[in-house]
Amino acid sequence: MGNTKKTWSFFNKERPDAVAEDTTPTLKFFFKLLWRKAAKLLTLNLMMVFQIIPIAVAVLVYFFGATTPTVEHAAYAPLLGTYIAGGSPAAATLLGTFGQQLNVPVMTTGRLIVICIMIAITVLTWGWQNVGAAYNLRSLVRGDSAFLWSDYFYAVRRNLKQAFIFGIIDLLFIFVLVCDIMFFFPLSTTTGYGLMYGLVLALGLIYLVMRFYIYPMMITFDLSIYKLLKNALIFTMLGFKRNLVAVLGIFAIIVLNIAAIFGGLSVGFSVPLVLPFFYLLALLGFISMYAAYPNIKRYMIDPYETSDSNDDTSDEVSSEEVTPEANG
């Protein structure tokens, strides 16, 4: 047998390189990346929660204050008159059925001022807060170093005017869609109103997916608001599979949180009511960014980089609108 000289690995300079990690944006890698970025996401959520604090304050001021009693149904007054005049058992039964009392908040001057201020803060800062959060979420999804506070305000400064204008448009779209859904829902038992309710729900779902792409494109490309909306609408079809998984994940998380809140409150446990303020917004934003950014990169960034002979490492890319023919 030949003698084999043992070489200590500490002195061996010809060690094989580590195998490169597969960073393909699959569902498996999503959970791996989510775990790695959990601490950053928790910090980012504390920044994003300021987006909903004014809304929460306005709701609390409206509902938790002075109230006045009233009745729910308009038939209460004539039924009460009939009961006083005749006192029949039928009138008493109907009066008990339609005479449910409600406590309606009284809109005092001070309450109205506070609510208007909270609404104004939301309208003025909505677009800026979404842009700042989107910039940080994009960095986390790409695996870049993220300096949350400085990057947040950097994105706001770079997109100050457009983010402000689109923030107002965004809130207007959301407000109209929510009002339509609330209007058609109680009337959806009839065929005509049921079709309208289904149409409004479909429009709401489409716009939800469009929002996955609008703010990431705003911080990445130099596009007009019209092209942002047009490209986002196209991406709802181009990225159908990723969009569907993201929407299902978002709804599943929301449903689980609602179930935990009501389940906890039913047994006097209020912690589930507070916990979403520490993680929910950042988690939902991470899901939407993880679904949207690979599609944006595939159809808008990669074709631009391959066709551009200049080696430009800037985050901002001047690009025209994406078309379904952009990449096969």
Side-chain angles (χ1 to χ4, degrees):
M1 294 179 63
N3 294 327
T4 302
K5 190 175 181 179
K6 183 176 181 180
T7 304
W8 295 98
S9 60
F10 180 78
F11 298 101
N12 183 10
K13 297 182 179 180
E14 297 182 355
R15 288 170 296 186
D17 295 333
V19 178
E21 182 182 22
D22 183 10
T23 59
T24 304
T26 60
L27 188 61
K28 179 181 178 180
F29 185 70
F30 165 80
F31 291 104
K32 185 182 295 185
L33 188 62
L34 178 64
W35 175 254
R36 291 177 184 171
K37 304 298 181 180
K40 289 280 188 180
L41 286 172
L42 291 175
T43 304
L44 179 59
N45 192 86
L46 295 178
M47 301 166 61
M48 295 176 67
V49 78
F50 288 100
Q51 191 173 1
I52 63 170
I53 283 179
I55 302 174
V57 170
V59 171
L60 291 175
V61 169
Y62 179 77
F63 284 105
F64 294 95
T67 60
T68 182
T70 185
V71 289
E72 182 178 7
H73 205 281
Y76 174 78
L79 285 173
L80 179 61
T82 304
Y83 176 76
I84 293 175
S88 65
T93 302
L94 292 173
L95 186 63
T97 303
F98 296 102
Q100 181 178 354
Q101 298 288 315
L102 295 176
N103 290 321
V104 178
V106 177
M107 191 58 67
T108 61
T109 303
R111 180 182 289 184
L112 182 61
I113 290 174
V114 173
I115 291 175
C116 289
I117 291 174
M118 294 299 104
I119 292 175
I121 292 174
T122 301
V123 172
L124 293 174
T125 63
W126 184 261
W128 297 333
Q129 295 192 68
N130 277 284
V131 159
Y135 194 93
N136 280 314
L137 288 167
R138 186 189 67 175
S139 298
L140 296 177
V141 167
R142 294 196 308 193
D144 298 340
S145 298
F147 304 95
L148 299 181
W149 284 101
S150 59
D151 289 351
Y152 185 94
F153 291 107
Y154 168 80
V156 172
R157 290 194 303 270
R158 290 294 299 268
N159 301 273
L160 192 68
K161 182 179 178 181
Q162 189 177 52
F164 174 75
I165 295 173
F166 182 75
I168 296 175
I169 297 173
D170 188 21
L171 276 178
L172 183 62
F173 282 170
I174 294 173
F175 177 77
V176 171
L177 287 169
V178 170
C179 288
D180 286 345
I181 291 173
M182 294 176 63
F183 174 79
F184 286 112
F185 175 70
L187 304 173
S188 60
T189 53
T190 62
T191 303
Y193 284 114
L195 291 175
M196 290 299 299
Y197 179 64
L199 177 62
V200 171
L201 282 180
L203 290 175
L205 184 60
I206 291 172
Y207 187 67
L208 171 65
V209 176
M210 287 175 62
R211 292 186 80 254
F212 293 177
Y213 295 91
I214 292 173
Y215 289 104
M217 286 192 294
M218 188 182 297
I219 62 174
T220 309
F221 304 99
D222 183 16
L223 295 173
S224 65
I225 291 178
Y226 169 75
K227 287 184 177 179
L228 287 174
L229 291 169
K230 184 176 180 180
N231 286 356
L233 182 60
I234 294 172
F235 273 125
T236 60
M237 297 176 288
L238 288 180
F240 178 78
K241 290 182 180 179
R242 298 186 67 87
N243 298 337
L244 178 61
V245 174
V247 170
L248 292 177
I250 287 172
F251 278 109
I253 291 173
I254 292 175
V255 169
L256 288 175
N257 277 271
I258 293 175
I261 290 171
F262 282 101
L265 292 178
S266 65
V267 295
F269 187 57
S270 59
V271 172
L273 184 63
V274 179
L275 283 179
F277 286 94
F278 292 94
Y279 67 86
L280 185 60
L281 292 179
L283 177 58
L284 299 183
F286 186 79
I287 292 173
S288 64
M289 184 64 72
Y290 190 84
Y293 185 74
N295 290 327
I296 295 173
K297 185 176 185 300
R298 176 187 177 189
Y299 289 104
M300 297 187 73
I301 298 177
D302 290 346
Y304 176 85
E305 290 179 343
T306 55
S307 63
D308 189 0
S309 58
N310 297 323
D311 184 18
D312 184 9
T313 59
S314 172
D315 282 338
E316 308 301 325
V317 180
S318 297
S319 177
E320 294 299 320
E321 58 199 85
V322 63
T323 60
E325 295 80 18
N327 194 344

